[in-house]
Amino acid sequence: MAQKALLRRISFYADLDDVDQQVIMQIDGREQHYEKNTELVDAGQEMDSVLIVKQGWAIRYKTLEDGRRQVLNVLLPGDMFDLQVLVAAEADHSVKTVTSLTGLSVRPSEFRRLLTESGKLTLAFWWMQVQEEAFLREQIVRNGTQSARERIGHFLLELYRRVLITGAGTDDGFRVPLTQTVIADALGLTPIHTNRVLRQLERDGLLERDNGWILFKDETRLAEMSQFDPSYFHLDAFRMRLGRE
Amino acid sequence: MAQKALLRRISFYADLDDVDQQVIMQIDGREQHYEKNTELVDAGQEMDSVLIVKQGWAIRYKTLEDGRRQVLNVLLPGDMFDLQVLVAAEADHSVKTVTSLTGLSVRPSEFRRLLTESGKLTLAFWWMQVQEEAFLREQIVRNGTQSARERIGHFLLELYRRVLITGAGTDDGFRVPLTQTVIADALGLTPIHTNRVLRQLERDGLLERDNGWILFKDETRLAEMSQFDPSYFHLDAFRMRLGRE
DNA sequence: CGGCGAGTTGAAGAGCTTCAAGCCTGGTGG
DNA sequence: CCACCAGGCTTGAAGCTCTTCAACTCGCCG
């Protein structure tokens, strides 16, 4: 049930009562399955539905004519895209899976019905949008002001928090199904330099990598080094259900 | 009337009938005037109203503890901030005027009334949000993949288009009341390098600067050089009222 | 077994920063 | 009315971060 992933996610943004939860669990849509590295949305394309991610990771990205690629954001279980469809805009960027992915495809009419059904839900979706925009802003700050070392630390910590919210990850680390090339494209670096910095972070005892997992050996020091301040998550407004800080 | 600037802006997003226009012109709020370089919103602050810019420029930005600053976006006449207030989030970034500025301060309750008054208006505001997010994404792409030369060209062309929409600017240029330091902070560069590149663009016959104005001497070549593709403005959806392309 | 994608490492070089200093303009006070 | 100051702009020189080019390894799948 993709609805469950969405419910879990939304519960961070609003105190839903039984009725609201019912509404979400009964969202009408088509369950879809995609292979690893499947193009879900291509820039310039007209979109015809909203997709709610149930399981798996995807990336939003944009490519320039000469092939340079910028990863804008990572989509995790519980994330939705693209609400733009509600105003019938065409995609100005692409979306592609990085793992196999299952999701729920919801038609705009159904989605609009949802929004009118419950004021609380409308608010909750607003919150998700506000947070999504905050992630974009943070991405700008990170890539614009920070060194490669800081960017990588900051990026991993942000992802880690987000993964914890989805219910995955452990006390001291999480599985990162991103290649170093994807990380590099997210941070505006070359894969080569990304690799060097990652290895350096290991040598400095800040983290360990093991078979696709990132394990933080000293999260505090990493957060300080990269000036990671998660207030842009806006979780404080919800009494920090994450149980951190 | 700040309402007029807003009306002009919104008219790019929706075909408003007389009634809709009435609704906008009668928005209830306090007209405010601010001096150059006035802090309007401070990161971490609770916001209590939406501000519609009537006249003047402002910047959204974020500063790190060590003083590094990243400019996220430029606010022009007709722009609004911060709709976040509708869900009572606290500011995760700051806003500050770069010229003297007049605006209309609207209380959230009044704004919500607006949204319920007309479905067309609701859609129009959604469009503004969609576009705003597209600007953020483009900022990420620009700063993440492009060279200083490309970034500066791209940034100026984007601003130029936006200024044209507000009704200012001429055939071949516009007034840019931003210091080179602000431009540098927007593009993740040092003011020194920004200056060198601007001069180089002049020497290459791509633009001229004159007393705060930017004049494009060869807009086509500049757009090619910086791979400027304005489809992210989503203006095509409105039959390109801008009259370009 | 062969090939491909991902990761790793070295060496050379480019782009941008840092430090330093000088200029120009507009505003302020003696 | 002129002297002075501050903020913004400009230029040079040295140096560092990150890129580019190149080559090699490892694990996985056909």
Side-chain angles (χ1 to χ4, degrees), chain B residues 143-245:
Chain B
N143 292 359
T145 64
Q146 302 197 283
S147 69
R149 190 182 168 84
E150 292 167 324
R151 281 184 229 181
I152 289 177
H154 193 283
F155 178 73
L156 290 177
L157 288 168
E158 173 180 305
L159 261 185
Y160 177 47
R161 293 256 167 159
R162 291 182 58 195
V163 165
L164 287 181
I165 293 178
T166 70
T170 69
D171 241 22
D172 66 340
F174 66 123
R175 208 181 122 56
V176 184
L178 304 176
T179 62
Q180 293 183 7
T181 302
V182 170
I183 297 174
D185 284 347
L187 301 179
L189 302 167
T190 56
I192 292 121
H193 196 57
T194 303
N195 177 269
R196 282 195 242 265
V197 173
L198 275 171
R199 309 232 70 208
Q200 192 58 52
L201 289 174
E202 266 187 314
R203 256 175 260 123
D204 293 347
L206 287 168
L207 51 83
E208 264 175 28
R209 292 172 307 144
D210 180 28
N211 197 25
W213 279 72
I214 292 285
L215 299 172
F216 298 111
K217 303 315 281 182
D218 191 341
E219 197 182 334
T220 312
R221 200 148 62 85
L222 189 64
E224 269 168 26
M225 181 277 283
S226 55
Q227 302 203 35
F228 180 71
D229 168 11
S231 53
Y232 66 93
F233 275 69
H234 291 290
L235 285 176
D236 42 341
F238 312 103
R239 289 161 250 110
M240 292 305 296
R241 290 166 210 231
L242 203 52
R244 320 193 118 241
E245 252 82 326

